[in-house]
Amino acid sequence: MRQYLIRRILQTIPIMLGVSVVIFFIVHSAPGDPYAYLFGPRTDLKVKEKLKEEMGLNAPLPVQYVRWLGQTVQGNLGYSIRTGKPVAQLLKERLGPTLLLTGTAFLISLMLSIPMGVISATKQYSWLDYVVTTVAFIGISLPSFFAALLAIYLFAVKWQIFPMNQITTPGQPFSMLDLIHHLILPATVLGLRDMAGLTRFTRSSLLEVLRQDYVRTARAKGLAERKVIYKHALRNALIPVVTLLGFGLPNLFSGTIVFETIFTWSGMGLLSFEAVVSRDYPVLMVVNIFFAFMVIVGNLIADILYAVVDPRIRYS
């Protein structure tokens, strides 16, 4: 397992290098000049060209990429065009709230989807199965932004159970209870988005396993139904579900762009939206590479979970 992990980590280096090349050229190929407002409308054209030359903006894109990569490897992620702050500082400020939001949403999705999928499969064609299936179909069909706006209207505006935005209440000292109060609504809505698909997948996978010969053999031997399901069937049914769990992590991070913008949650998603609107190249580069890195991490976690769930899988 150790050799496998080392090999996978080394493989991420050329992958991330290729991703950075693609992102850099796509971002810098967009029309317009994001640096225009830095000079002001009355700045002389010759002065603009001189400043661009000093900043290295007139160099060909391959040269700019090599310079950016060299600075990034040394830990210098550049400065935000919009705020003037170091990108590393912005990343440090915004990463914590995003990890808190996505981590909570992932736990909510995991704790609800697998039990609901098991109940739906073991009670097939019962009223519980129909309820779970209906809820799952609604969750899959409902657009994320509409679900977030609907949750804000019902729970924040109409019933006033939860606050509608921000991480904490402005003007009040920090409190863990206040943070949790603000976290519940966006994390639940974000978690329910992926819970629907995971529930349906768990149900289908478990139903397929329950039809296998070894499950019928276990029942014929007189084993209790609970033991047959949770000891013999569920573990094998979770093997394909692990794939969705691996991809669920980067999907949650990408989903934060919509949810953090709607809930004004000061994390990586809102930072990405602000960078797109203002054409903030240095921030866009770092945020997109971070999301790409999370995809690689999600795949690695899925591979590790395969070995945990299925003892037959071993990595040498």
Side-chain angles (χ1 to χ4, degrees):
M1 177 66 77
R2 181 182 300 177
Q3 294 179 355
Y4 172 78
L5 291 176
I6 294 175
R7 187 169 64 250
R8 284 295 301 269
I9 292 173
L10 292 177
Q11 288 175 354
T12 61
I13 297 176
I15 293 175
M16 293 304 301
L17 187 63
V19 169
S20 68
V21 172
V22 174
I23 293 176
F24 185 89
F25 282 93
I26 289 178
V27 169
H28 285 76
S29 297
D33 185 7
Y35 298 92
Y37 79 95
L38 291 177
F39 307 120
R42 297 182 180 180
T43 305
D44 185 72
L45 183 60
K46 293 183 179 180
V47 176
K48 290 181 179 180
E49 292 300 322
K50 183 179 180 180
L51 290 174
K52 286 186 176 181
E53 187 68 31
E54 293 176 353
M55 297 171 66
L57 301 178
N58 289 335
L61 283 181
V63 176
Q64 293 186 41
Y65 171 77
V66 173
R67 292 174 180 173
W68 172 85
L69 182 62
Q71 293 294 323
T72 302
V73 172
Q74 298 176 25
N76 180 15
L77 302 180
Y79 293 85
S80 170
I81 301 174
R82 184 174 58 89
T83 64
K85 294 182 179 180
V87 177
Q89 179 182 343
L90 292 175
L91 186 66
K92 183 179 179 181
E93 293 173 354
R94 301 296 187 95
L95 183 58
T98 294
L99 291 177
L100 177 63
L101 177 61
T102 54
T104 306
F106 185 76
L107 289 177
I108 292 174
S109 175
L110 188 63
M111 290 188 298
L112 292 179
S113 60
I114 294 180
M116 289 175 63
V118 172
I119 293 174
S120 182
T122 54
K123 305 293 183 181
Q124 189 180 18
Y125 303 130
S126 67
W127 67 270
L128 280 174
D129 182 26
Y130 289 127
V131 169
V132 172
T133 302
T134 302
V135 172
F137 274 126
I138 293 175
I140 294 173
S141 306
L142 203 62
S144 300
F145 72 92
F146 181 78
L149 293 174
L150 181 63
I152 289 176
Y153 171 73
L154 292 177
F155 297 100
V157 177
K158 187 174 182 178
W159 297 326
Q160 298 183 357
I161 300 175
F162 302 107
M164 61 185 302
N165 55 20
Q166 303 292 335
I167 297 179
T168 56
T169 304
Q172 293 187 6
F174 175 80
S175 170
M176 185 58 68
L177 291 177
D178 185 48
L179 175 62
I180 294 175
H181 192 209
H182 283 75
L183 175 64
I184 291 176
L185 188 59
T188 302
V189 179
L190 181 59
L192 291 178
R193 186 197 65 169
D194 289 343
M195 183 206 71
L198 196 57
T199 299
R200 291 287 302 164
F201 205 85
T202 303
R203 177 185 183 275
S204 300
S205 180
L206 184 57
L207 283 175
E208 183 178 352
V209 171
L210 289 176
R211 298 188 182 100
Q212 299 296 319
D213 291 337
Y214 73 91
V215 175
R216 286 194 289 266
T217 302
R219 286 171 173 165
K221 289 181 177 180
L223 292 179
E225 185 67 15
R226 183 181 183 88
K227 193 172 183 179
V228 170
I229 293 173
Y230 292 100
K231 185 175 180 180
H232 296 277
L234 181 58
R235 192 166 185 175
N236 289 329
L238 289 179
I239 295 176
V241 177
V242 165
T243 304
L244 284 185
L245 291 177
F247 285 107
L249 186 60
N251 286 338
L252 283 174
F253 275 96
S254 61
T256 57
I257 298 176
V258 174
F259 284 87
E260 289 184 1
T261 302
I262 294 176
F263 288 97
T264 323
W265 188 272
S266 299
M268 295 286 292
L270 184 58
L271 179 65
S272 177
F273 175 78
E274 295 169 348
V276 170
V277 172
S278 61
R279 299 282 302 282
D280 199 340
Y281 284 172
V283 175
L284 275 176
M285 285 295 303
V286 173
V287 171
N288 281 284
I289 288 177
F290 172 77
F291 287 153
F293 178 73
M294 292 311 301
V295 173
I296 297 175
V297 171
N299 290 331
L300 180 60
I301 292 175
D303 288 344
I304 295 174
L305 289 177
Y306 283 140
V308 174
V309 174
D310 190 349
R312 297 171 297 176
I313 300 176
R314 287 294 180 265
Y315 301 110
S316 59

